[in-house]
Every structure is written in C-alpha cells, then in structure tokens.
Amino acid sequence: MLGLLGSISADAYAARVASVRKGLSETGFVEGQNVTIEYRWADGRYERLPEMAADLVRSRVDVILAITTPAAV
C-alpha cells in the first residue's frame, strides 16, 4: 500500500498523480488491482501535514510519497 501526501489539492496535482500511476503501471502495479493508494491532501493548510503523515503511518502504508509545489525562485 502506497500513501500519497500532497500539500495542496488533488486537482492541483492531477498531472503528477497521473505520472505516478503511469510509472507504477510500467512496473506492473495497477491501482485497484494489485496496489492500493491512500491519498491525503492538505489543501494548502500546511500545518495539517504532520497529522496527515501520522495518519498514513497508522494506516500501515508501505511507502509514503510526499509531493509539494516547487519553491519560488
């Protein structure tokens, strides 16, 4: 089981999530068939991230993938 933690919304990360799913499928993992993805979205409320990460740990995911926006340059 994969935990995906995003700092903003699911809509904002749709392309990145699609890329993750594509990469997983290229290695034989298909969501809903042989891998489960638990999603957590902070919706820009960054103070929620620690508790959301802890929730994923309690869910006993095998890996947590955290995605965020790039830093401003």
Side-chain angles (χ1 to χ4, degrees):
M1 183 168 17
L2 170 69
L4 196 146
L5 180 61
S7 62
I8 50 179
S9 69
D11 290 340
Y13 286 127
R16 290 182 185 174
V17 171
S19 293
V20 168
R21 287 183 183 133
K22 182 177 185 287
L24 286 169
S25 71
E26 289 171 355
T27 59
F29 294 99
V30 178
E31 184 178 15
Q33 291 183 11
N34 58 2
V35 69
T36 300
I37 303 175
E38 290 286 327
Y39 299 92
R40 301 293 184 276
W41 304 106
D43 295 320
R45 295 180 51 208
Y46 303 108
E47 71 279 2
R48 295 178 58 205
L49 290 171
E51 180 54 35
M52 293 169 72
D55 184 50
L56 287 171
V57 170
R58 285 189 297 274
S59 296
R60 302 187 55 90
V61 297
D62 298 297
V63 174
I64 296 175
L65 172 62
I67 53 177
T68 187
T69 56
V73 178

